[in-house]
Amino acid sequence: MLLAIGGSTNAIIHLTAIAGRAGVAISLDRLNAISDETPVLVDLKPSGDFYMEDFFNAGGLGAVLAELRPQLHESCLTVTGETLGARLDAAPRYVDRGVIRPRSEPILAVGGLVALFGTLAPDGAILKRSAADARLFETEAEAVVFDSLEDLSARVDDPDLPVTPESILVLKNAGPKGGPGMPEAGYLPIPQKLARAGVKDMVRISDARMSGTAFGTIVLHVTPEAAVGGPLALVATGDRIKLSVKERKLDLLVGETELARRRATWKPVDVPARGYRKLYMDHVLQADHGCDFDFLRSRG
């Protein structure tokens, strides 16, 4: 359902955390497999033109589930005590095909989300491709790096920032531990001098989250995050990064010798000696495990 409506990247974290407490692993490779066979069927912002209220009035979740029926386990019990198949059989439903497309006429042939892996995101990153500019899906360019949210705020609109429309903006230290709390800060703004020149989108990469209402070619949840020493921590302005949605790849094109030199001078974030902040920093998990506390996950 998430993939078919072009839903939020945040939902991947939530689903992973919920499943983790039940002892069920969520695989980003499996996400890609499902995404490749699940079309976007709902013309819903930011992937389309309509709002959630329009989606509800057009037939809502039931109408989409009916289109996805070949992919569903119909024997699953619902909260009513009936099976999913029985619920779908229960009654004819109104569907506005201007908002909810039939499977034979999708908005996009593939799902709204895709996971990326590579030397910059060994454990994965997420792109909402249904809300991105497909012309940027195969990109190799130089990075413009911001080390923190404060650094981003201070420099992104500097007229002297060495940025072009082809640059890749990179934000570090906005993940679960670096944020802390993984704020919805991944929607990096277009630098003012580019926006004034008419630039509407560019590749942006971070270990942060993003609101489901945002549009852009924005790679989120880079894991491991910068604050724990993931490759993102070592990226410098001028480095070349390669994004390939086709190959599900996100690579930092810097040699191992240079990365080793940088790693030797990298310093982890400070952890308080006591209190809730120490508990949080010691036990919060990375995005690929739902940003949950490790002691709340099922050990079964």
Side-chain angles (χ1 to χ4, degrees):
M1 175 62 69
L2 174 67
L3 295 166
I5 68 173
S8 174
T9 51
N10 281 319
I12 297 296
I13 290 180
H14 302 324
L15 285 169
T16 303
I18 293 167
R21 295 195 182 189
V24 177
I26 296 291
S27 162
L28 293 181
D29 287 319
R30 178 64 178 143
L31 168 69
N32 280 341
I34 297 173
S35 187
D36 285 345
E37 63 187 27
T38 306
V40 176
L41 298 176
V42 185
D43 194 1
L44 187 66
K45 288 184 179 294
S47 303
D49 294 327
F50 293 96
Y51 293 92
M52 196 61 82
E53 181 181 7
D54 302 313
F55 173 40
F56 176 79
N57 291 330
L61 295 180
V64 179
L65 285 171
E67 295 296 328
L68 298 178
R69 197 164 185 167
Q71 295 174 251
L72 304 177
H73 293 285
E74 296 186 33
S75 62
C76 288
L77 288 178
T78 69
V79 292
T80 67
E82 303 166 283
T83 66
L84 178 57
R87 294 289 295 171
L88 293 176
D89 287 337
R93 57 179 56 82
Y94 166 75
V95 183
D96 181 346
R97 291 302 184 191
V99 180
I100 302 173
R101 301 281 188 87
R103 193 183 184 97
S104 58
E105 301 176 24
I107 305 291
L108 292 173
V110 292
L113 303 176
V114 63
L116 307 169
F117 301 90
T119 57
L120 188 53
D123 295 332
I126 299 293
L127 170 69
K128 187 172 181 177
R129 59 182 166 187
S130 62
D133 187 339
R135 293 172 296 182
L136 298 174
F137 283 4
E138 307 299 316
T139 295
E140 181 182 323
E142 291 188 355
V144 175
V145 177
F146 302 95
D147 289 324
S148 65
L149 289 169
E150 293 77 14
D151 185 31
L152 174 68
S153 177
R155 293 195 298 120
V156 70
D157 290 329
D158 185 339
D160 295 325
L161 185 72
V163 66
T164 72
E166 291 74 34
S167 299
I168 295 177
L169 302 183
V170 175
L171 171 65
K172 304 179 184 181
N173 296 306
K177 294 189 179 185
M182 203 178 185
E184 286 190 337
Y187 186 54
L188 279 64
I190 303 294
Q192 200 170 84
K193 66 180 179 180
L194 298 183
R196 287 173 176 163
V199 175
K200 301 296 184 183
D201 194 13
M202 56 196 304
V203 178
R204 287 158 276 179
I205 299 171
S206 77
D207 46 15
R209 297 184 301 118
M210 180 178 77
S211 168
T213 63
F215 176 90
T217 309
I218 301 172
V219 179
L220 305 158
H221 310 179
V222 171
T223 309
E225 65 175 305
V228 300
L232 186 66
L234 308 180
V235 183
T237 293
D239 289 349
R240 294 194 72 80
I241 293 174
K242 183 176 181 180
L243 165 67
S244 175
V245 176
K246 180 180 179 180
E247 297 180 4
R248 311 289 191 266
K249 297 285 285 183
L250 184 65
D251 288 320
L252 175 61
L253 306 181
V254 176
E256 288 299 324
T257 300
E258 173 60 19
L259 291 179
R261 185 191 67 78
R262 295 180 190 180
R263 186 170 294 283
T265 62
W266 175 81
K267 295 181 180 180
V269 295
D270 293 330
V271 177
R274 61 192 299 273
Y276 177 79
R277 180 73 179 275
K278 176 173 174 53
L279 174 72
Y280 174 89
M281 294 294 283
D282 285 349
H283 294 283
V284 72
L285 296 167
Q286 293 293 286
D288 61 325
H289 289 108
C291 301
D292 201 4
F293 285 134
D294 56 10
F295 53 77
L296 292 177
R297 290 173 62 85
S298 171
R299 300 184 185 276

